Amino acid sequence: MTKIAVLSMDETVRIDVQRLEQIVRELGEPAAGQIIGAALEQLALALGRTVAASRRGDLGAVVANADQLSRLAWQVGLVTLAGVAIDVGACAERQDEPALAATTCRLERIGNRSLTELWDPPETS
């Protein structure tokens, strides 16, 4: 009989809290909240466009959208997301379709988790 193992895909996402604190210090809490909220919306859109372009096989759009995504992610301290977006863009530039498919799936997981953690940070006691 064949045994099937289920592998869980659970990665920790890194958020540069110092970067977020710097934004708050520079802009003040109300303005920083608005800026970060707008950045999250743009990140979600860029993530969706990158994943959709990858699934369509539009490598030029993957590179452009992944670049935008990585820049936005760096600006608000989403370190892991920025790195994975760079990896996706590199796979598209090399036209490495199997690697692109795998890194795009990782991008989607990390992106969703990063956005959730930044939007709804875990409660600390």
Side-chain angles (χ1 to χ4, degrees):
M1 182 187 288
T2 303
K3 290 186 179 182
I4 298 175
V6 177
L7 303 176
S8 65
M9 304 280 189
D10 187 27
E11 292 182 73
T12 303
V13 296
R14 227 175 92 222
I15 298 175
D16 183 352
V17 177
Q18 291 177 338
R19 176 64 186 131
L20 292 171
E21 290 171 350
Q22 177 186 8
I23 293 169
V24 172
R25 273 194 315 274
E26 290 176 2
L27 302 175
E29 200 164 319
Q34 290 178 339
I35 296 295
I36 292 170
L40 287 173
E41 289 178 28
Q42 291 302 310
L43 282 161
L45 291 171
L47 175 61
R49 286 192 301 265
T50 304
V51 170
S54 178
R55 290 185 178 146
R56 284 193 314 271
D58 185 348
L59 300 180
V62 171
V63 172
N65 288 304
D67 181 62
Q68 180 190 26
L69 179 59
S70 69
R71 290 172 191 267
L72 286 167
W74 277 116
Q75 288 176 355
V76 294
L78 297 176
V79 177
T80 307
L81 178 58
V84 176
I86 289 168
D87 293 342
V88 167
C91 290
E93 286 176 338
R94 288 191 314 268
Q95 298 180 6
D96 185 342
E97 291 182 22
L100 178 59
T103 54
T104 298
C105 288
R106 182 170 183 237
L107 178 69
E108 197 167 20
R109 286 190 310 273
I110 294 294
N112 290 332
R113 186 150 184 196
S114 296
L115 294 174
T116 300
E117 287 197 24
L118 192 57
W119 192 260
D120 295 322
E123 297 291 324
T124 56
S125 334

